[in-house]
Amino acid sequence: MAIGKYITNPGVLGAAVGAVGTARRAGSMRRDWRRYIVWGVWLAGLALAIASVAMQDEDRDADARQKSA
């Protein structure tokens, strides 16, 4: 598992940079449960971006097997 493909992926970069906006938004909010929802949504987006990069190799392999069959 090479970390370079995660660091250079635009989806992962965008989700990571989104932490800045999330921090600004959460900083201006009241300290209640809504703040956790905002961070949870950001974390889910980051997890989806990372998972999509992880699945790219498997998708390419599946496409190659389908074309050869």
Side-chain angles (χ1 to χ4, degrees):
M1 177 187 303
I3 195 166
K5 69 180 181 180
Y6 295 97
I7 293 174
T8 59
N9 184 280
V12 175
L13 286 173
V17 170
V20 174
T22 302
R24 286 182 187 162
R25 179 176 296 155
S28 66
M29 295 175 71
R30 290 186 298 186
R31 295 183 184 263
D32 62 357
W33 59 272
R34 291 179 206 119
R35 179 180 280 199
Y36 297 112
I37 297 296
V38 169
W39 280 109
V41 169
W42 171 79
L43 187 61
L46 180 64
L48 285 172
I50 291 171
S52 70
V53 173
M55 295 297 291
Q56 282 178 351
D57 292 336
E58 292 180 26
D59 289 343
R60 277 191 223 114
D61 292 342
D63 286 342
R65 282 192 304 267
Q66 188 177 23
K67 287 179 183 177
S68 67

